[in-house]
């Protein structure tokens, strides 16, 4: 076969480019719908992928919000995304339109690593950044051998660890004995459900449940506690007041119990303020609208991915007295009683709100009071004062810091 002459080659190239532009425009037709939220101009193929800093999405969205308002749109390659900011708009999206905004978008990287397409409700806990976003936005790239493993090593490692734990459980499980833990109880249900293809008790769901407990349930609480200790060494006056309350209500003779919380308004306010200030899940997990939704006068077409910017609520300048400072007074009235705050949304809101919230709240209160009952925490002598700026990964954690724990 001979080579194409120059003119024919040029025409072919133009035809290919026109075809790609047409495909691109087809994918973007959503944005032309009447009353679609405004947003930065997307470039063909990549959309706005290069205009958002995914290592610090909260800051990128802060700047975009000041240009386009509380509800703005983005195009991540060919996926349309609407970002919702501020207490009023987030509340309207998650609570007023609760059922219509409760779907989850498919997350190709996660499914590629072994979770079934119907195991919705989980996002990839991989470090945030451009590459995972590109892989999710252009999933065909996941077909390149080894690419996902290279760029999503943490998820792969976690799944490997879970598979080992499950294998070990399978080998040592004795159905005649009472279950040792949740995995044993689940294995017993799988055994009972054998031959029933409709049952949700199967190996894939067991893997999913266990991964939830590790990824959603452990790292979140541990990260919040590391923020709590950091804030206590940075604010020794607050630490002393918490310890004073512990001494008055609990003393040193017994461990804290949940029943104590009602009599410890200051400690309760401190735990809430730690969560507000730490803002560990600033972009929460993505949602997807299941039908056309009208939000703040804009129309969001069915199937659009929704990012509810929790950071913009937890640090909303119209709602909090000192949004960017650690200030337990946000949750206390003038007489020192604990007060709830509608802008307190670290667990999100609506039907997709964190399933583990009650457990997380208990863990935080009990671990925090136990630690402060037993120890004084301080910055080690000669060490610089650690920063209270977070390091953005999937969650926002404090930068590594050292502390000195001295038994009281
Ligand atoms: C300080 C601790 C925690 C924080 C800040 C937190 C925060 C969140 C957030 C923001 C979401 C997404 C909600 C949404 O999509 O709108 C979520 C979902 C979820 N969380 Fe938590 N979480 C914490 C602890 C836990 C614990 C202890 C567990 C379980 C043991 C847990 C299990 C889950 C599950 C299963 C989901 C997915 C719910 C769904 O898709 O419907 N979380 N969490």
């Amino acid at each position: 076969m001979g080579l194409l002459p120059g003119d024919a080659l040029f025409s072919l190239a133009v035809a290919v480019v026109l075809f790609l532009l047409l495909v691109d425009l087809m994918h973007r037709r959503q944005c032309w719908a009447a009353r679609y939220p405004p947003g930065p101009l997307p470039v063909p193929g990549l959309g706005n992928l290069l205009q958002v800093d995914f290592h610090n999405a909260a800051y990128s969205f802060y700047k975009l919000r000041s240009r386009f308002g509380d509800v703005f749109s983005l195009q991540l390659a060919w996926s349309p995304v609407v970002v919702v900011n501020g207490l009023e708009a987030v509340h309207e999206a998650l609570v007023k339109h609760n059922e219509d905004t409760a779907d989850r978008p498919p997350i190709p990287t996660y499914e590629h690593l072994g979770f079934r397409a119907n195991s919705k409700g989980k996002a990839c806990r991989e470090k945030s950044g451009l590459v995972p976003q590109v892989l999710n936005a252009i999933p065909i790239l996941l077909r390149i051998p080894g690419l996902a493993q290279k760029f999503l090593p943490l998820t792969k490692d976690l799944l490997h660890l879970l598979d080992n734990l499950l294998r070990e459980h399978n080998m040592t499980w004795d159905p005649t004995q009472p279950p040792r833990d949740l995995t044993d109880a689940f294995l017993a249900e799988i055994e009972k459900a054998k031959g029933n293809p409709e049952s949700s008790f199967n190996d894939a769901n067991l893997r999913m449940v266990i991964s939830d407990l590790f990824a959603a349930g452990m790292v979140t609480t541990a990260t919040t506690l590391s923020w709590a200790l950091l804030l206590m060494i940075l604010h020794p006056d607050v630490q002393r007041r918490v310890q004073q309350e512990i001494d008055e209500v609990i003393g040193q003779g017994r461990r804290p119990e949940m029943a104590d919380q009602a009599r410890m308004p200051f400690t309760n306010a401190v735990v809430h303020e730690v969560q507000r200030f730490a803002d560990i899940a600033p972009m929460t997990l993505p949602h997807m609208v299941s039908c056309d939704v009208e939000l703040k006068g804009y129309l969001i077409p069915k199937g659009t991915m929704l990012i509810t910017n929790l950071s913009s609520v937890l640090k909303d300048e119209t709602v909090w007295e000192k949004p960017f400072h650690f200030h337990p007074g946000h949750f206390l009235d003038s007489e020192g009683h604990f007060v709830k705050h509608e802008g307190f949304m670290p667990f999100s809101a609506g039907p997709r709100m964190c399933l583990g919230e009650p457990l997380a709240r208990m863990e935080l209160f009990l671990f925090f009071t136990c630690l402060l009952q037993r120890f004084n925490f301080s910055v080690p002598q000669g060490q610089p004062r650690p920063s209270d700026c977070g390091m953005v990964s999937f969650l926002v954690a404090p930068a590594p810091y050292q502390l000195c724990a001295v038994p009281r």
Side-chain angles (χ1 to χ4, degrees), residues 104 121-122 212-213 216-217 220-221 224 275 280-281 284-285 287 310 346-349 351-356 359-360 363-364:
R104 294 268 189 232
K122 283 285 110 266
D212 271 0
L213 285 180
T220 44
T221 314
T224 309
Q275 284 205 270
I280 66 164
T284 179
L285 297 177
H287 289 223
L310 292 187
F347 298 101
S348 188
R352 278 291 184 171
M353 179 175 179
C354 174
L355 272 182
L359 175 65
E363 286 177 331
L364 291 177

PDB file of all heavy atoms in Angstrom, residues 104 121-122 212-213 216-217 220-221 224 275 280-281 284-285 287 310 346-349 351-356 359-360 363-364, ligand 1:
ATOM      1  N   ARG A 104     -24.589   7.904  43.453  1.00  0.00           N
ATOM      2  CA  ARG A 104     -23.139   8.059  43.339  1.00  0.00           C
ATOM      3  C   ARG A 104     -22.753   7.882  41.870  1.00  0.00           C
ATOM      4  O   ARG A 104     -23.278   6.997  41.193  1.00  0.00           O
ATOM      5  CB  ARG A 104     -22.411   6.970  44.121  1.00  0.00           C
ATOM      6  CG  ARG A 104     -22.615   7.046  45.612  1.00  0.00           C
ATOM      7  CD  ARG A 104     -21.521   7.863  46.255  1.00  0.00           C
ATOM      8  NE  ARG A 104     -21.611   7.755  47.689  1.00  0.00           N
ATOM      9  CZ  ARG A 104     -21.641   8.793  48.512  1.00  0.00           C
ATOM     10  NH1 ARG A 104     -21.597  10.016  48.038  1.00  0.00           N
ATOM     11  NH2 ARG A 104     -21.705   8.609  49.815  1.00  0.00           N
ATOM     12  N   GLY A 121     -21.420   3.651  46.372  1.00  0.00           N
ATOM     13  CA  GLY A 121     -21.362   4.213  47.703  1.00  0.00           C
ATOM     14  C   GLY A 121     -19.944   4.386  48.190  1.00  0.00           C
ATOM     15  O   GLY A 121     -19.711   4.863  49.277  1.00  0.00           O
ATOM     16  N   LYS A 122     -18.996   4.022  47.413  1.00  0.00           N
ATOM     17  CA  LYS A 122     -17.615   4.171  47.869  1.00  0.00           C
ATOM     18  C   LYS A 122     -16.817   4.928  46.841  1.00  0.00           C
ATOM     19  O   LYS A 122     -16.942   4.707  45.647  1.00  0.00           O
ATOM     20  CB  LYS A 122     -16.964   2.789  48.030  1.00  0.00           C
ATOM     21  CG  LYS A 122     -17.382   2.084  49.266  1.00  0.00           C
ATOM     22  CD  LYS A 122     -16.737   2.639  50.495  1.00  0.00           C
ATOM     23  CE  LYS A 122     -17.660   3.378  51.391  1.00  0.00           C
ATOM     24  NZ  LYS A 122     -17.812   4.722  51.315  1.00  0.00           N
ATOM     25  N   ASP A 212     -14.811  -0.826  53.753  1.00  0.00           N
ATOM     26  CA  ASP A 212     -15.487   0.351  54.323  1.00  0.00           C
ATOM     27  C   ASP A 212     -14.991   0.624  55.736  1.00  0.00           C
ATOM     28  O   ASP A 212     -14.698   1.753  56.106  1.00  0.00           O
ATOM     29  CB  ASP A 212     -16.998   0.113  54.427  1.00  0.00           C
ATOM     30  CG  ASP A 212     -17.707   0.538  53.158  1.00  0.00           C
ATOM     31  OD1 ASP A 212     -17.019   1.001  52.241  1.00  0.00           O
ATOM     32  OD2 ASP A 212     -18.931   0.378  53.099  1.00  0.00           O
ATOM     33  N   LEU A 213     -14.946  -0.467  56.524  1.00  0.00           N
ATOM     34  CA  LEU A 213     -14.571  -0.268  57.927  1.00  0.00           C
ATOM     35  C   LEU A 213     -13.148   0.243  58.049  1.00  0.00           C
ATOM     36  O   LEU A 213     -12.857   1.100  58.874  1.00  0.00           O
ATOM     37  CB  LEU A 213     -14.741  -1.570  58.711  1.00  0.00           C
ATOM     38  CG  LEU A 213     -16.193  -1.919  59.005  1.00  0.00           C
ATOM     39  CD1 LEU A 213     -16.285  -3.214  59.788  1.00  0.00           C
ATOM     40  CD2 LEU A 213     -16.872  -0.806  59.791  1.00  0.00           C
ATOM     41  N   ALA A 216     -13.203   3.890  55.414  1.00  0.00           N
ATOM     42  CA  ALA A 216     -14.116   4.966  55.821  1.00  0.00           C
ATOM     43  C   ALA A 216     -14.125   5.137  57.324  1.00  0.00           C
ATOM     44  O   ALA A 216     -14.351   6.226  57.831  1.00  0.00           O
ATOM     45  CB  ALA A 216     -15.538   4.649  55.337  1.00  0.00           C
ATOM     46  N   GLY A 217     -13.894   4.036  58.059  1.00  0.00           N
ATOM     47  CA  GLY A 217     -14.137   4.086  59.490  1.00  0.00           C
ATOM     48  C   GLY A 217     -12.916   4.303  60.362  1.00  0.00           C
ATOM     49  O   GLY A 217     -13.035   4.804  61.475  1.00  0.00           O
ATOM     50  N   THR A 220     -10.492   7.990  59.054  1.00  0.00           N
ATOM     51  CA  THR A 220     -11.197   9.249  59.337  1.00  0.00           C
ATOM     52  C   THR A 220     -11.089   9.622  60.825  1.00  0.00           C
ATOM     53  O   THR A 220     -10.731  10.746  61.168  1.00  0.00           O
ATOM     54  CB  THR A 220     -12.684   9.100  58.983  1.00  0.00           C
ATOM     55  OG1 THR A 220     -13.131   7.839  59.465  1.00  0.00           O
ATOM     56  CG2 THR A 220     -12.922   9.205  57.497  1.00  0.00           C
ATOM     57  N   THR A 221     -11.390   8.639  61.682  1.00  0.00           N
ATOM     58  CA  THR A 221     -11.380   8.931  63.119  1.00  0.00           C
ATOM     59  C   THR A 221      -9.943   9.176  63.599  1.00  0.00           C
ATOM     60  O   THR A 221      -9.684  10.104  64.374  1.00  0.00           O
ATOM     61  CB  THR A 221     -12.015   7.756  63.908  1.00  0.00           C
ATOM     62  OG1 THR A 221     -13.209   7.384  63.236  1.00  0.00           O
ATOM     63  CG2 THR A 221     -12.341   8.137  65.312  1.00  0.00           C
ATOM     64  N   THR A 224      -8.820  12.613  62.601  1.00  0.00           N
ATOM     65  CA  THR A 224      -9.442  13.656  63.439  1.00  0.00           C
ATOM     66  C   THR A 224      -8.759  13.713  64.800  1.00  0.00           C
ATOM     67  O   THR A 224      -8.506  14.798  65.343  1.00  0.00           O
ATOM     68  CB  THR A 224     -10.955  13.395  63.609  1.00  0.00           C
ATOM     69  OG1 THR A 224     -11.524  13.196  62.309  1.00  0.00           O
ATOM     70  CG2 THR A 224     -11.657  14.553  64.285  1.00  0.00           C
ATOM     71  N   GLN A 275     -13.410  19.111  64.713  1.00  0.00           N
ATOM     72  CA  GLN A 275     -13.908  18.583  63.437  1.00  0.00           C
ATOM     73  C   GLN A 275     -14.168  19.694  62.419  1.00  0.00           C
ATOM     74  O   GLN A 275     -13.896  19.546  61.234  1.00  0.00           O
ATOM     75  CB  GLN A 275     -15.205  17.801  63.659  1.00  0.00           C
ATOM     76  CG  GLN A 275     -14.968  16.431  64.257  1.00  0.00           C
ATOM     77  CD  GLN A 275     -16.104  15.496  63.916  1.00  0.00           C
ATOM     78  OE1 GLN A 275     -17.069  15.407  64.659  1.00  0.00           O
ATOM     79  NE2 GLN A 275     -16.013  14.813  62.794  1.00  0.00           N
ATOM     80  N   ILE A 280     -11.692  17.452  57.529  1.00  0.00           N
ATOM     81  CA  ILE A 280     -10.849  16.396  56.936  1.00  0.00           C
ATOM     82  C   ILE A 280     -11.345  15.874  55.583  1.00  0.00           C
ATOM     83  O   ILE A 280     -10.580  15.290  54.834  1.00  0.00           O
ATOM     84  CB  ILE A 280     -10.638  15.199  57.902  1.00  0.00           C
ATOM     85  CG1 ILE A 280     -11.953  14.470  58.163  1.00  0.00           C
ATOM     86  CG2 ILE A 280      -9.951  15.611  59.184  1.00  0.00           C
ATOM     87  CD1 ILE A 280     -11.731  13.082  58.767  1.00  0.00           C
ATOM     88  N   ALA A 281     -12.642  16.039  55.305  1.00  0.00           N
ATOM     89  CA  ALA A 281     -13.157  15.551  54.012  1.00  0.00           C
ATOM     90  C   ALA A 281     -13.767  16.731  53.259  1.00  0.00           C
ATOM     91  O   ALA A 281     -14.986  16.798  53.070  1.00  0.00           O
ATOM     92  CB  ALA A 281     -14.186  14.448  54.243  1.00  0.00           C
ATOM     93  N   THR A 284     -16.066  15.896  50.435  1.00  0.00           N
ATOM     94  CA  THR A 284     -16.881  14.719  50.735  1.00  0.00           C
ATOM     95  C   THR A 284     -16.753  13.688  49.593  1.00  0.00           C
ATOM     96  O   THR A 284     -15.738  13.666  48.899  1.00  0.00           O
ATOM     97  CB  THR A 284     -18.351  15.107  51.053  1.00  0.00           C
ATOM     98  OG1 THR A 284     -19.090  13.943  51.304  1.00  0.00           O
ATOM     99  CG2 THR A 284     -19.029  15.905  49.962  1.00  0.00           C
ATOM    100  N   LEU A 285     -17.721  12.815  49.418  1.00  0.00           N
ATOM    101  CA  LEU A 285     -17.682  11.883  48.285  1.00  0.00           C
ATOM    102  C   LEU A 285     -18.591  12.460  47.199  1.00  0.00           C
ATOM    103  O   LEU A 285     -19.573  13.129  47.515  1.00  0.00           O
ATOM    104  CB  LEU A 285     -18.207  10.508  48.711  1.00  0.00           C
ATOM    105  CG  LEU A 285     -17.414   9.776  49.786  1.00  0.00           C
ATOM    106  CD1 LEU A 285     -18.098   8.469  50.148  1.00  0.00           C
ATOM    107  CD2 LEU A 285     -15.994   9.507  49.317  1.00  0.00           C
ATOM    108  N   HIS A 287     -21.520  12.985  44.545  1.00  0.00           N
ATOM    109  CA  HIS A 287     -22.905  12.535  44.373  1.00  0.00           C
ATOM    110  C   HIS A 287     -23.247  12.638  42.885  1.00  0.00           C
ATOM    111  O   HIS A 287     -22.491  13.209  42.117  1.00  0.00           O
ATOM    112  CB  HIS A 287     -23.861  13.444  45.146  1.00  0.00           C
ATOM    113  CG  HIS A 287     -23.778  13.290  46.630  1.00  0.00           C
ATOM    114  ND1 HIS A 287     -24.875  13.240  47.438  1.00  0.00           N
ATOM    115  CD2 HIS A 287     -22.715  13.184  47.472  1.00  0.00           C
ATOM    116  CE1 HIS A 287     -24.515  13.115  48.698  1.00  0.00           C
ATOM    117  NE2 HIS A 287     -23.188  13.086  48.754  1.00  0.00           N
ATOM    118  N   LEU A 310     -17.965  20.706  51.255  1.00  0.00           N
ATOM    119  CA  LEU A 310     -18.227  20.810  52.702  1.00  0.00           C
ATOM    120  C   LEU A 310     -17.319  21.848  53.350  1.00  0.00           C
ATOM    121  O   LEU A 310     -17.685  22.497  54.328  1.00  0.00           O
ATOM    122  CB  LEU A 310     -17.998  19.466  53.396  1.00  0.00           C
ATOM    123  CG  LEU A 310     -18.968  18.330  53.068  1.00  0.00           C
ATOM    124  CD1 LEU A 310     -18.700  17.147  53.977  1.00  0.00           C
ATOM    125  CD2 LEU A 310     -20.411  18.772  53.193  1.00  0.00           C
ATOM    126  N   PRO A 346     -19.431  18.076  59.018  1.00  0.00           N
ATOM    127  CA  PRO A 346     -18.272  17.278  58.600  1.00  0.00           C
ATOM    128  C   PRO A 346     -18.671  15.897  58.100  1.00  0.00           C
ATOM    129  O   PRO A 346     -17.897  15.239  57.404  1.00  0.00           O
ATOM    130  CB  PRO A 346     -17.425  17.172  59.874  1.00  0.00           C
ATOM    131  CG  PRO A 346     -18.387  17.351  60.982  1.00  0.00           C
ATOM    132  CD  PRO A 346     -19.452  18.277  60.473  1.00  0.00           C
ATOM    133  N   PHE A 347     -19.875  15.442  58.496  1.00  0.00           N
ATOM    134  CA  PHE A 347     -20.336  14.122  58.052  1.00  0.00           C
ATOM    135  C   PHE A 347     -21.267  14.240  56.857  1.00  0.00           C
ATOM    136  O   PHE A 347     -21.948  13.286  56.497  1.00  0.00           O
ATOM    137  CB  PHE A 347     -21.077  13.417  59.194  1.00  0.00           C
ATOM    138  CG  PHE A 347     -20.226  13.157  60.412  1.00  0.00           C
ATOM    139  CD1 PHE A 347     -20.302  13.977  61.529  1.00  0.00           C
ATOM    140  CD2 PHE A 347     -19.354  12.077  60.443  1.00  0.00           C
ATOM    141  CE1 PHE A 347     -19.527  13.741  62.653  1.00  0.00           C
ATOM    142  CE2 PHE A 347     -18.578  11.830  61.567  1.00  0.00           C
ATOM    143  CZ  PHE A 347     -18.659  12.653  62.671  1.00  0.00           C
ATOM    144  N   SER A 348     -21.346  15.459  56.263  1.00  0.00           N
ATOM    145  CA  SER A 348     -22.246  15.728  55.152  1.00  0.00           C
ATOM    146  C   SER A 348     -23.694  15.778  55.669  1.00  0.00           C
ATOM    147  O   SER A 348     -23.909  15.931  56.879  1.00  0.00           O
ATOM    148  CB  SER A 348     -22.058  14.692  54.048  1.00  0.00           C
ATOM    149  OG  SER A 348     -22.775  15.037  52.912  1.00  0.00           O
ATOM    150  N   ALA A 349     -24.668  15.666  54.793  1.00  0.00           N
ATOM    151  CA  ALA A 349     -26.078  15.766  55.204  1.00  0.00           C
ATOM    152  C   ALA A 349     -26.923  14.996  54.203  1.00  0.00           C
ATOM    153  O   ALA A 349     -26.432  14.599  53.147  1.00  0.00           O
ATOM    154  CB  ALA A 349     -26.497  17.236  55.234  1.00  0.00           C
ATOM    155  N   PRO A 351     -29.602  11.866  52.806  1.00  0.00           N
ATOM    156  CA  PRO A 351     -29.627  10.402  52.911  1.00  0.00           C
ATOM    157  C   PRO A 351     -28.254   9.744  52.743  1.00  0.00           C
ATOM    158  O   PRO A 351     -28.059   8.614  53.173  1.00  0.00           O
ATOM    159  CB  PRO A 351     -30.565   9.970  51.777  1.00  0.00           C
ATOM    160  CG  PRO A 351     -30.833  11.157  50.951  1.00  0.00           C
ATOM    161  CD  PRO A 351     -30.419  12.379  51.693  1.00  0.00           C
ATOM    162  N   ARG A 352     -27.298  10.435  52.119  1.00  0.00           N
ATOM    163  CA  ARG A 352     -25.973   9.850  51.928  1.00  0.00           C
ATOM    164  C   ARG A 352     -24.993  10.244  53.024  1.00  0.00           C
ATOM    165  O   ARG A 352     -23.799   9.957  52.935  1.00  0.00           O
ATOM    166  CB  ARG A 352     -25.402  10.296  50.580  1.00  0.00           C
ATOM    167  CG  ARG A 352     -25.904   9.481  49.438  1.00  0.00           C
ATOM    168  CD  ARG A 352     -25.327   8.075  49.534  1.00  0.00           C
ATOM    169  NE  ARG A 352     -25.737   7.304  48.392  1.00  0.00           N
ATOM    170  CZ  ARG A 352     -25.261   6.109  48.100  1.00  0.00           C
ATOM    171  NH1 ARG A 352     -24.353   5.560  48.863  1.00  0.00           N
ATOM    172  NH2 ARG A 352     -25.703   5.460  47.067  1.00  0.00           N
ATOM    173  N   MET A 353     -25.509  10.911  54.028  1.00  0.00           N
ATOM    174  CA  MET A 353     -24.658  11.343  55.136  1.00  0.00           C
ATOM    175  C   MET A 353     -23.902  10.133  55.707  1.00  0.00           C
ATOM    176  O   MET A 353     -24.386   9.008  55.646  1.00  0.00           O
ATOM    177  CB  MET A 353     -25.595  11.918  56.192  1.00  0.00           C
ATOM    178  CG  MET A 353     -24.928  12.388  57.397  1.00  0.00           C
ATOM    179  SD  MET A 353     -26.199  13.153  58.413  1.00  0.00           S
ATOM    180  CE  MET A 353     -25.186  13.611  59.782  1.00  0.00           C
ATOM    181  N   CYS A 354     -22.718  10.401  56.275  1.00  0.00           N
ATOM    182  CA  CYS A 354     -21.872   9.333  56.792  1.00  0.00           C
ATOM    183  C   CYS A 354     -22.660   8.319  57.624  1.00  0.00           C
ATOM    184  O   CYS A 354     -23.317   8.667  58.606  1.00  0.00           O
ATOM    185  CB  CYS A 354     -20.772   9.939  57.661  1.00  0.00           C
ATOM    186  SG  CYS A 354     -19.767   8.709  58.481  1.00  0.00           S
ATOM    187  N   LEU A 355     -22.538   7.043  57.222  1.00  0.00           N
ATOM    188  CA  LEU A 355     -23.236   5.987  57.954  1.00  0.00           C
ATOM    189  C   LEU A 355     -22.644   5.769  59.340  1.00  0.00           C
ATOM    190  O   LEU A 355     -23.308   5.299  60.244  1.00  0.00           O
ATOM    191  CB  LEU A 355     -23.085   4.672  57.181  1.00  0.00           C
ATOM    192  CG  LEU A 355     -24.095   4.352  56.106  1.00  0.00           C
ATOM    193  CD1 LEU A 355     -23.786   2.999  55.498  1.00  0.00           C
ATOM    194  CD2 LEU A 355     -25.479   4.337  56.709  1.00  0.00           C
ATOM    195  N   GLY A 356     -21.354   6.116  59.472  1.00  0.00           N
ATOM    196  CA  GLY A 356     -20.669   5.819  60.730  1.00  0.00           C
ATOM    197  C   GLY A 356     -20.694   6.971  61.715  1.00  0.00           C
ATOM    198  O   GLY A 356     -19.986   6.922  62.724  1.00  0.00           O
ATOM    199  N   LEU A 359     -21.045   6.241  65.519  1.00  0.00           N
ATOM    200  CA  LEU A 359     -19.862   5.538  66.012  1.00  0.00           C
ATOM    201  C   LEU A 359     -18.671   6.499  66.092  1.00  0.00           C
ATOM    202  O   LEU A 359     -17.955   6.541  67.098  1.00  0.00           O
ATOM    203  CB  LEU A 359     -19.541   4.366  65.074  1.00  0.00           C
ATOM    204  CG  LEU A 359     -18.263   3.601  65.383  1.00  0.00           C
ATOM    205  CD1 LEU A 359     -18.370   2.897  66.727  1.00  0.00           C
ATOM    206  CD2 LEU A 359     -17.952   2.586  64.287  1.00  0.00           C
ATOM    207  N   ALA A 360     -18.494   7.300  65.029  1.00  0.00           N
ATOM    208  CA  ALA A 360     -17.355   8.224  64.997  1.00  0.00           C
ATOM    209  C   ALA A 360     -17.446   9.220  66.150  1.00  0.00           C
ATOM    210  O   ALA A 360     -16.454   9.507  66.825  1.00  0.00           O
ATOM    211  CB  ALA A 360     -17.329   8.959  63.667  1.00  0.00           C
ATOM    212  N   GLU A 363     -16.481   7.465  69.331  1.00  0.00           N
ATOM    213  CA  GLU A 363     -15.033   7.201  69.368  1.00  0.00           C
ATOM    214  C   GLU A 363     -14.268   8.479  69.686  1.00  0.00           C
ATOM    215  O   GLU A 363     -13.362   8.477  70.516  1.00  0.00           O
ATOM    216  CB  GLU A 363     -14.562   6.657  68.017  1.00  0.00           C
ATOM    217  CG  GLU A 363     -14.980   5.227  67.775  1.00  0.00           C
ATOM    218  CD  GLU A 363     -14.569   4.736  66.390  1.00  0.00           C
ATOM    219  OE1 GLU A 363     -14.468   5.554  65.453  1.00  0.00           O
ATOM    220  OE2 GLU A 363     -14.358   3.541  66.239  1.00  0.00           O
ATOM    221  N   LEU A 364     -14.646   9.570  69.010  1.00  0.00           N
ATOM    222  CA  LEU A 364     -13.907  10.820  69.206  1.00  0.00           C
ATOM    223  C   LEU A 364     -14.019  11.296  70.647  1.00  0.00           C
ATOM    224  O   LEU A 364     -13.030  11.665  71.272  1.00  0.00           O
ATOM    225  CB  LEU A 364     -14.425  11.903  68.249  1.00  0.00           C
ATOM    226  CG  LEU A 364     -14.102  11.675  66.770  1.00  0.00           C
ATOM    227  CD1 LEU A 364     -14.732  12.759  65.906  1.00  0.00           C
ATOM    228  CD2 LEU A 364     -12.593  11.656  66.552  1.00  0.00           C
TER     229      LEU A 364
HETATM  230  C1  LIG B   1     -14.477  11.614  61.942  1.00  0.00           C
HETATM  231  C2  LIG B   1     -14.941  10.570  61.326  1.00  0.00           C
HETATM  232  C3  LIG B   1     -15.695  10.561  60.024  1.00  0.00           C
HETATM  233  C4  LIG B   1     -15.949  11.555  59.127  1.00  0.00           C
HETATM  234  C5  LIG B   1     -15.542  13.025  59.186  1.00  0.00           C
HETATM  235  C6  LIG B   1     -16.723  10.959  58.039  1.00  0.00           C
HETATM  236  C7  LIG B   1     -17.185  11.659  56.948  1.00  0.00           C
HETATM  237  C8  LIG B   1     -17.894  11.086  55.907  1.00  0.00           C
HETATM  238  C9  LIG B   1     -18.360  11.804  54.768  1.00  0.00           C
HETATM  239  C10 LIG B   1     -18.170  13.300  54.510  1.00  0.00           C
HETATM  240  C11 LIG B   1     -19.007  10.915  53.967  1.00  0.00           C
HETATM  241  C12 LIG B   1     -19.660  11.192  52.600  1.00  0.00           C
HETATM  242  C13 LIG B   1     -21.106  11.577  52.746  1.00  0.00           C
HETATM  243  C14 LIG B   1     -21.693  12.027  51.433  1.00  0.00           C
HETATM  244  O1  LIG B   1     -21.418  11.424  50.397  1.00  0.00           O
HETATM  245  O2  LIG B   1     -22.438  13.005  51.399  1.00  0.00           O
HETATM  246  C15 LIG B   1     -18.937   9.634  54.603  1.00  0.00           C
HETATM  247  C16 LIG B   1     -19.472   8.476  54.080  1.00  0.00           C
HETATM  248  C17 LIG B   1     -19.398   7.251  54.698  1.00  0.00           C
HETATM  249  N1  LIG B   1     -18.844   6.979  55.928  1.00  0.00           N
HETATM  250 FE1  LIG B   1     -17.952   8.315  57.157  1.00  0.00          FE
HETATM  251  N2  LIG B   1     -16.904   9.636  58.302  1.00  0.00           N
HETATM  252  C18 LIG B   1     -16.303   9.343  59.502  1.00  0.00           C
HETATM  253  C19 LIG B   1     -16.278   8.119  60.147  1.00  0.00           C
HETATM  254  C20 LIG B   1     -16.870   6.971  59.679  1.00  0.00           C
HETATM  255  C21 LIG B   1     -16.924   5.717  60.391  1.00  0.00           C
HETATM  256  C22 LIG B   1     -16.375   5.483  61.803  1.00  0.00           C
HETATM  257  C23 LIG B   1     -17.551   4.817  59.568  1.00  0.00           C
HETATM  258  C24 LIG B   1     -17.898   3.354  59.770  1.00  0.00           C
HETATM  259  C25 LIG B   1     -17.438   2.586  60.684  1.00  0.00           C
HETATM  260  C26 LIG B   1     -17.910   5.523  58.351  1.00  0.00           C
HETATM  261  C27 LIG B   1     -18.559   4.948  57.294  1.00  0.00           C
HETATM  262  C28 LIG B   1     -18.985   5.638  56.174  1.00  0.00           C
HETATM  263  C29 LIG B   1     -19.663   5.007  55.056  1.00  0.00           C
HETATM  264  C30 LIG B   1     -20.013   3.529  54.925  1.00  0.00           C
HETATM  265  C31 LIG B   1     -19.940   6.027  54.133  1.00  0.00           C
HETATM  266  C32 LIG B   1     -20.649   5.904  52.778  1.00  0.00           C
HETATM  267  C33 LIG B   1     -22.131   6.164  52.967  1.00  0.00           C
HETATM  268  C34 LIG B   1     -22.897   6.064  51.653  1.00  0.00           C
HETATM  269  O3  LIG B   1     -22.305   5.983  50.618  1.00  0.00           O
HETATM  270  O4  LIG B   1     -24.100   6.081  51.714  1.00  0.00           O
HETATM  271  N3  LIG B   1     -17.485   6.820  58.457  1.00  0.00           N
HETATM  272  N4  LIG B   1     -18.271   9.749  55.799  1.00  0.00           N
END
